[in-house]
C-alpha cells in the first residue's frame, strides 16, 4: 500500500511568512538589500521559489513588508516605547542609548540601525521604498516630539520647534550609529549620548 | 593600401583611470556598491573588461580607490577646507550646511553623503572597506577638532572633549543627511544647522 501523499499546501502560512520576514530582515541588515539575493533567501529559509513567491511575489514586495513588519516594530520597541514609558524625555533618551550600547557590546559587532541602513541604500532607488523609510522616521520623530511637550523647556515651544528638537535627536543618534558602524565600536554612541544629555539639560528638555 | 592599425595600448592610462573612478563614484552614489555591476561600469565608461581589469583587478580594489581618490577628496572639499578657511568653527559649520543645502536644492534630489552611503553599506562586509571609511571619518573629525581648539569655549578643553564635539557635529550632520535622503528634502539639514548653531553658541564654540 502506498502511503498517503502529504498535502502539498503549506499548513502554516502565517508561520512561513514570519520565517521569510525574519530571514530577510536579518540578511538585509547584515549585507544590505542589494547584497541579498532571493536565491540566498530560499536557501536560508529552506523554501522553494514557488512558496517564497506565493507570499512575496517580488523582492520589492518583500522589502516593503520588512519595513512595515520588522523595521517599524524594531524602532517602536527600541526607541518609541522606552521614551514613552520614561519619566522624562531626557531619561528616556539616555536609557535608549544605554540599552543600544549594551546590546552592541554584547554582540561585539555593530551592524547599525536597520532603518538607517535600508533608508540610505534604497531611498533613491524607488519612491515606495523612500516613503516606507520616511513613514518610520516620522512615527519616531512624532513620538519624541510629544515627549518634548512634557518638559519644562518644551511646553511653550511651537509645534515646529518641538519637531526640530525631535529631528535633532534622531539625526545625532543615526549619525553616531553610522560612525559606530564604521569604527565597529560603540564609542561614538557613548560620546553622542553624553553630548545630547548636556544639550537637553541646557535647554531644560530633560525633565 | 590598408590603413595603419592604431596602437592597441591605451595612450592615456591616467585619464582612463580617472574616467573609471568618476563613473564608479557616481554609480555607487546613485545605486550603491552592490547595486552596481562591473558590466554596468564597462558600459558607462565604454571600456572593455580587459582595460577595466588592467586598472582595477577587482571590484574591491575599485571601491578602495574610490574611497581614497574620490570620497576623501569630496569630504576635504565640502567640509574640511571650508571649515579651515572660515573665521570660526561656528561660521565654517554654518557655511558648509548652507552650501550643501543650496547644492541639494539646485539638483532637486538628495543622493546623500557619499561617505555615509558607502560606510553604511560596506562596513560590515569587509575589514578593509571599514578601515577605508573610518580613515575618512577620522580625518574629518580631526580637522573639526582643531578648529574647536581655536574657540573661546574650546581652548581649555581636553583633547577628548574636543573630539566629542567634533564627533557630535559629524554625527548630527550625517544623520540629518540620512533623514534628508529619506524625505528627498533638505529640511532636516536646515533644521539641524539651526540647532547646531544655537548649540555651538551656547557652548561658546562659535567664535
Amino acid at each position: 500500500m502506498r502511503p498517503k501523499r502529504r498535502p502539498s499546501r503549506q499548513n502554516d502560512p502565517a508561520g512561513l511568512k514570519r520565517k521569510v520576514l525574519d530571514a530577510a530582515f536579518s540578511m538585509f541588515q547584515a549585507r544590505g538589500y542589494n547584497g541579498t539575493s532571493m536565491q540566498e533567501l530560499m536557501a536560508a529559509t529552506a523554501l522553494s521559489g514557488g512558496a517564497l513567491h506565493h507570499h512575496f511575489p517580488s523582492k520589492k514586495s518583500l522589502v516593503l513588508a520588512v519595513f512595515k513588519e520588522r523595521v517599524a516594530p524594531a524602532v517602536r520597541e527600541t526607541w518609541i516605547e522606552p521614551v514613552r514609558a520614561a519619566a522624562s524625555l531626557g531619561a528616556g533618551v539616555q536609557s535608549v542609548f544605554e540599552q543600544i550600547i549594551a546590546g552592541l557590546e554584547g554582540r561585539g559587532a555593530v551592524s547599525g540601525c536597520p532603518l538607517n541602513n535600508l533608508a540610505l541604500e534604497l531611498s533613491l532607488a524607488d519612491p515606495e521604498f523612500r516613503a516606507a523609510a520616511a513613514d518610520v522616521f516620522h512615527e519616531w520623530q512624532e513620538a519624541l516630539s510629544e515627549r518634548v511637550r512634557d518638559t519644562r523647556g518644551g511646553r511653550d515651544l511651537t509645534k515646529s520647534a518641538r519637531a526640530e528638537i525631535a529631528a535633532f535627536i534622531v539625526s545625532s543618534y543615526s549619525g553616531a550609529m553610522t560612525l559606530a558602524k564604521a569604527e565597529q565600536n560603540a564609542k561614538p554612541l557613548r560620546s553622542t549620548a553624553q553630548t545630547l544629555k548636556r544639550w537637553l539639560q541646557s535647554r531644560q528638555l530633560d525633565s
Side-chain angles (χ1 to χ4, degrees), chain A:
Chain A
M1 235 172 84
R2 288 163 62 205
K4 278 193 181 148
R5 275 177 61 194
R6 295 178 61 200
S8 65
R9 288 196 58 214
Q10 177 51 244
N11 286 323
D12 180 17
L16 234 174
K17 210 176 154 190
R18 233 179 0 249
K19 192 173 167 185
V20 176
L21 286 170
D22 286 340
F25 181 57
S26 113
M27 292 171 86
F28 292 165
Q29 175 71 344
R31 320 179 190 179
Y33 174 77
N34 286 311
T36 306
S37 68
M38 289 300 257
Q39 284 68 31
E40 288 166 324
L41 264 164
M42 281 161 57
T45 53
L47 284 184
S48 68
L52 184 56
H53 284 264
H54 173 71
H55 291 283
F56 300 103
S58 64
K59 200 175 167 192
K60 177 171 168 171
S61 67
L62 175 57
V63 77
L64 289 173
V66 165
F67 267 115
K68 207 162 172 164
E69 299 179 39
R70 290 296 178 276
V71 176
V75 171
R76 280 176 211 130
E77 193 191 326
T78 318
W79 263 95
I80 296 179
E81 286 155 20
V83 165
R84 278 203 181 122
S88 71
L89 174 69
V93 169
Q94 287 308 304
S95 82
V96 168
F97 271 88
E98 278 161 26
Q99 285 294 316
I100 288 169
I101 291 166
L104 296 182
E105 294 187 333
R107 280 193 297 282
V110 184
S111 55
C113 161
L115 176 56
N116 244 6
N117 292 345
L118 286 175
L120 271 196
E121 186 181 2
L122 300 176
S123 287
L124 262 189
D126 185 302
E128 285 186 75
F129 294 162
R130 191 201 64 67
D135 281 351
V136 188
F137 276 122
H138 287 156
E139 184 182 345
W140 181 3
Q141 290 175 82
E142 193 53 52
L144 290 172
S145 211
E146 273 170 29
R147 292 310 316 261
V148 172
R149 201 174 39 197
D150 299 333
T151 62
R152 259 183 308 162
R155 71 170 65 112
D156 296 325
L157 294 177
T158 61
K159 196 172 175 216
S160 121
R162 290 197 304 267
E164 278 198 4
I165 291 163
F168 192 65
I169 295 170
V170 170
S171 293
S172 55
Y173 165 74
S174 293
M177 187 57 108
T178 302
L179 284 180
K181 190 169 173 181
E183 297 188 8
Q184 284 299 304
N185 188 314
K187 202 179 149 202
L189 287 162
R190 210 181 286 289
S191 128
T192 290
Q194 266 307 101
T195 311
L196 267 183
K197 183 180 186 172
R198 292 178 57 184
W199 175 69
L200 291 168
Q201 280 167 351
S202 74
R203 298 207 41 191
Q204 301 196 295
L205 295 166
D206 56 325
S207 59

